[in-house]
Amino acid sequence: MRPAGWIAACGVLAVVAEATAQPDPDLLAPLPPGTEVDTTDDAVLAPAPGTLAEAEYRGSPQHFALEVRFGPYRPEVDQEFSGGQTPYADTFGDALLLLSLFQFDWEYLRIPGGTLAVGVSAGFLQAVGTAYTPDGRPSGEDTVLNIVPAYWTAGYRFDLLAERWSVPLVPFLKAGIATYWWWVLNAAGTAQWGWTPGWFLSPGLALRLDVFEEGAARSFDSSLGVNHSYLTIELLYASVDGFGRGRSMILSDLTFTAGVAFEF
Amino acid sequence: MEHSRAMTWNRARVSVRAGAAVFLAAALARPAAAGATLTVELFDRENRGAVDDEPNGINIADCESHEAWNFRTSLSSVPTNAHLDVWLGSACDQRANRDGADASDCVRVYGDLTMRVGYVNFGIEAPMLVDPHAPGCAEVKTTTKVWVLILNEDADETVYDSGTYDVSIDTQRPAAPVSVTVDFGESRAIVAWEMASGTAVSEQWGFRVLCDPNPTGAAAGTDADADAEAGADDADGGGEATDADGSGEATDAGGAAGGGCTSGGAFAAGDRPIDAWYCTGQIVGSAVRVREIGGLTNGTEYHFAVVALDDYRNPSLVSPVACTVPSEVNDFWETYEAAGGRAEGGCACAIPAVGRTEGVGGLALPLAAALGRRRRPARGRGDRR
């Protein structure tokens, strides 16, 4: 190419470059030289709503969930007996026990409308009562029934409303196998132990807390990787009777639990 | 004038020399007083493994056993025309307190102990330390000062050197627990007690329980403190059961058959405790108020009382006595079985037979298989190396 050709080509490029270098309407206009900027003014530094910086926030990856729940529980041990025998009520009374549960879920699959998860949860229950003599006199000794319930869970969280329309309610359903380990204590130590298998079903509703304090939620996510926080309440129907085989202590109950959950 | 000045100067020099000679003669005649520089230390106590074992002072047991307290003092030189005495009392380095004129004067324990360079040993029995004027074990809470005095052999027995050692003494009994309750269990009893409100913490350093019959046998007094460490508050029963339940409560001055007792026992409220009655070690802690006594025979009436221990380990007099009869009791599993419960429990339930792998059993077996699969390759790698 001749020199004249080079010159012409450069001129065309310069014109095109000038044409493409139009100011982006989303960007702030450059300040005139010599303008002083107050760096303490948040309005100067914060991105305006709808700008690029805000629109690109998508949170950290989400794979797991942790829950801590509590609720009343009264194992239906006496359901096994007929003819008015109530050894559980006779020993421990009618008071409700405190069920404390800790759950870990792996949200392994995202499907339309929500997530599928598998997990495990375990907790603790304790009933303490007075030991009686065979002729029914109360002694100074206590007897204790300890129960460690464990649940092998499959669950579905329907979070479409929260994700698409910012409705902070996430219904969910869990079901799975339940296994309750139990042991009885007396003054000398462990008197007997065993376990009772069964199944459970647990529908519930979670209130996503992010919408109430979005800034804090984002900070929680960026600093700890917690995507969402919830208050949860769920119904728990635990049919823990050895699948009806009649050789296990019946520890079933219909109750509810409430607690907090975190997805991360 | 010059001559006269010389005479005066000479007279002055003569009188200075005379004074020095007199001073030297006096110094040779008796040792100069050196002040209170002697170190007196306790190097052995008959009832203690180490002299600094708690309690540091003399208690009732030390006194009644005539425990010997062995002291020593160290001399770097032996003065002449002096002797070494040991006195007990206050301000014994004052001549007026050693003349015996007053009943409160110091008491001489040793006179003219042999002095030598190094240690000079001497022993004093506890009753003498408790009351130098009338050796014995009267109830006192005081401090006795042991004086080691090197006294010049002059008319006034002036002190050449001295040293002291303070012996703390508490031979007063603490207040006894005001009430005792006892509840029965299977081969055990749960004894609980209360102290009067306002009792000083130092008066309830710990407690010991008395049992009759004593399940620990004749050697009850040697019950190790490990017994106390087993958890004095491990029995959270101990309610105030009524006599109809076979349990007793004693809040008054006891008596041969009070507190739910149907017969007289070895001890009664207000007795001085003896070692053979103790069925626990020292239960340490002023807040401890309950103790489970195991190893009892069901169907036998047991008498229980408690003594408080003060910070000198002095026991109180015996508290009111309460009785109970240990009896067979059913735990929940026994109640469940007695009602006809069919749960198998234990290994029979935890390891299901073939074909009964429901529940976690069904999950546990695949899990075990998975673990086994994870281990086999590891062993294989090890074999290949």
Side-chain angles (χ1 to χ4, degrees), chain A residues 77 80-81 85 87-88 90-92 131-134 137-145 152 177-179 181-182 184-188 191-198 242-243 245-250, chain B residues 183-188 190 236-239 241 244-246 292 325 327-347 349-352 355-356 358-361 363:
Chain A
V77 177
E80 176 184 346
F81 303 93
Q85 297 274 29
Y88 180 90
D90 293 346
T91 306
F92 302 116
Y132 286 78
T133 62
R137 290 180 297 133
S139 75
E141 287 186 18
D142 284 339
T143 182
V144 176
L145 172 63
W152 311 84
I177 298 296
T179 304
W181 279 273
W182 55 263
V184 175
L185 301 178
N186 59 25
Q192 185 58 279
W193 62 276
W195 60 272
T196 303
F243 296 106
R245 299 175 72 91
R247 275 179 264 178
S248 299
M249 191 181 292
I250 297 176
Chain B
D183 222 337
F184 73 93
E186 184 165 323
S187 301
R188 71 195 67 233
I190 299 96
D236 49 2
D245 299 326
E292 184 175 307
V325 179
S327 172
E328 179 187 354
V329 298
N330 288 340
D331 56 45
F332 172 64
W333 176 251
E334 291 167 324
T335 304
Y336 172 85
E337 282 196 313
R342 289 174 295 167
E344 293 168 340
C347 295
C349 182
I351 303 175
R356 294 178 56 217
E358 68 272 0
V360 153
L363 294 175

Side-chain angles (χ1 to χ4, degrees), chain A residues 42-216:
Chain A
D42 291 342
V44 172
L45 301 178
T51 59
L52 197 59
E54 179 171 284
E56 284 186 348
Y57 181 81
R58 287 186 172 85
S60 61
Q62 176 182 322
H63 300 293
F64 306 104
L66 276 179
E67 291 183 33
V68 180
R69 306 196 306 273
F70 303 92
Y73 202 97
R74 189 179 186 283
E76 297 172 348
V77 177
D78 293 339
Q79 197 180 65
E80 176 184 346
F81 303 93
S82 58
Q85 297 274 29
T86 55
Y88 180 90
D90 293 346
T91 306
F92 302 116
D94 294 327
L96 293 169
L97 310 181
L98 174 64
L99 169 64
S100 306
L101 280 174
F102 181 83
Q103 177 161 344
F104 177 78
D105 283 345
W106 172 35
E107 296 178 344
Y108 70 96
L109 185 61
R110 180 81 196 174
I111 61 173
T115 57
L116 286 176
V118 293
V120 60
S121 61
F124 185 68
L125 287 164
Q126 185 178 63
V128 181
T130 299
Y132 286 78
T133 62
D135 57 0
R137 290 180 297 133
S139 75
E141 287 186 18
D142 284 339
T143 182
V144 176
L145 172 63
N146 285 330
I147 302 171
V148 171
Y151 305 95
W152 311 84
T153 306
Y156 173 69
R157 283 182 172 84
F158 179 71
D159 59 6
L160 182 66
L161 299 176
E163 294 290 339
R164 182 163 300 177
W165 292 291
S166 296
V167 176
L169 296 176
V170 178
F172 59 85
L173 178 67
K174 301 174 191 172
I177 298 296
T179 304
Y180 284 28
W181 279 273
W182 55 263
W183 65 102
V184 175
L185 301 178
N186 59 25
T190 301
Q192 185 58 279
W193 62 276
W195 60 272
T196 303
W199 57 272
F200 79 97
L201 187 66
S202 182
L205 188 65
L207 174 64
R208 184 177 282 190
L209 300 175
D210 307 9
V211 296
F212 300 109
E213 192 59 62
E214 290 187 358

